[in-house]
Amino acid sequence: MTVVDSHPVRVPVMGPGYRPLDARVKAFFALTKPRVIELLLMTTVPVMFLAAEGVPDLWLVLATCIGGFMSAGGAGAYNMYIDRDIDALMDRTSRRPLVTGMVSPRECLVFATALAAGSTAWFWFLVNPLSAMLSLGALLFYVVVYTMWLKRRTAQNIVWGGIAGCMPVFIGWSAVRNEVSWAALVLFLVIFFWTPPHYWPLSMKVKDDYARVGVPMLPVVAGNKAVARQIVLYSWVMVGVSLLLWPLGYTGWFYPVVAVVLGAFWLKEAHGLQARARAGITGAKLKEMRLFHWSITYVSLLFLAVAVDPFLR
């Protein structure tokens, strides 16, 4: 996720004769954005433990994870199909399969559609219809609302587009209980308020990429001070929302203790970034990626606490 230089990278388009099978398999796998899927499943499974108040049916966990992989993978492939024009001009996306020619646009579209349809059927018959509809809704929201509409039109794109990334919480809960509860809504909101301060530091790092292709990410249209202020605001709301599970009676003592400790570290990093931005620090000394990397650790440990808490009550 590093920027090589400030100029577009010219990538040769490969013909069919230069596409070996093993590279093609890896390319189709890359279309699914596996790192994003890993993060989505990291929030889905712990919620299933909370919903089951212990160990959920392991077959159900496996079925939900497979369905989630297909659904999120289909969304990722659609995203690469739609964004292939700007991906070719951005340094950090210049090696994506459609840019290099390892996968053709038509192949990508067929692959994405197969995953979308397959995941919906998988959830419907092997999990439950509610989870199927939630999964399909998340996919459509990410593709149509975020990728096709918001991303290139507003600096608030990642705020509202992030709703799709919150849906695995609902899917995990509904897979176990066939309903959506207040607990699921609280965790949905945690991810909702987590997403902007998670992604904006990365956007600050690669804002030249986004500026080059005309995508109005917040760091492109606002200065570092304004972005850091928004990061701090969202961070405080996120930490506050994360503590609601305990007074609502969904957790014991363990989860809130972990949430307070993790939240304190998060706020320290967020305020540190704001202080550096206010001081006019730029470049590597701004250290915006510290918060980006910590945000992944934060959400991983927080949801691990969600899964562990039922066993300590």
Side-chain angles (χ1 to χ4, degrees), residues 1-11 33 35-36 79-80 83 86-97 99-100 142 146 151 157-158 198-213 215 217 289 292:
M1 293 186 180
T2 56
V3 178
V4 178
D5 55 46
S6 59
H7 303 287
V9 176
R10 296 182 179 179
V11 182
K33 296 189 175 182
R35 289 186 178 180
V36 174
N79 174 268
M80 289 198 193
D83 280 351
I86 61 176
D87 282 348
L89 301 175
M90 295 175 63
D91 293 329
R92 76 184 192 90
T93 57
S94 63
R95 302 302 302 173
R96 285 181 171 176
V99 179
T100 63
Y142 181 75
Y146 172 67
K151 183 174 182 178
N157 47 21
I158 201 65
H198 157 69
Y199 196 79
W200 280 333
L202 175 61
S203 299
M204 294 169 76
K205 178 74 173 179
V206 298
K207 65 181 180 180
D208 289 343
D209 255 1
Y210 284 118
R212 182 187 304 133
V213 296
V215 174
M217 289 293 179
M289 293 300 287
F292 173 78

Side-chain angles (χ1 to χ4, degrees), residues 43-62:
T43 60
T44 304
V45 176
V47 172
M48 297 181 74
F49 278 76
L50 182 64
E53 298 182 351
V55 180
D57 179 85
L58 296 182
W59 159 247
L60 182 63
V61 173
L62 179 61

Side-chain angles (χ1 to χ4, degrees), residues 12-24 100-103:
V13 177
M14 299 180 180
Y18 295 92
R19 301 190 295 179
L21 179 60
D22 59 336
R24 293 264 287 162
T100 63
M102 190 60 69
V103 177

Side-chain angles (χ1 to χ4, degrees), residues 193-240:
F193 289 110
W194 169 85
T195 302
H198 157 69
Y199 196 79
W200 280 333
L202 175 61
S203 299
M204 294 169 76
K205 178 74 173 179
V206 298
K207 65 181 180 180
D208 289 343
D209 255 1
Y210 284 118
R212 182 187 304 133
V213 296
V215 174
M217 289 293 179
L218 186 60
V220 174
V221 302
N224 287 344
K225 292 181 183 179
V227 176
R229 183 169 59 250
Q230 289 292 309
I231 287 174
V232 168
L233 176 62
Y234 274 89
S235 296
W236 274 100
V237 176
M238 177 199 70
V239 172

Side-chain angles (χ1 to χ4, degrees), residues 14 73 84 108 117 121 126 136 174 191 195 217 222 260 271 280 288 307 310:
M14 299 180 180
R84 64 190 186 280
C108 179
L126 297 179
L136 180 60
S174 67
I191 300 300
T195 302
M217 289 293 179
V260 167
H271 279 280
E288 66 277 88

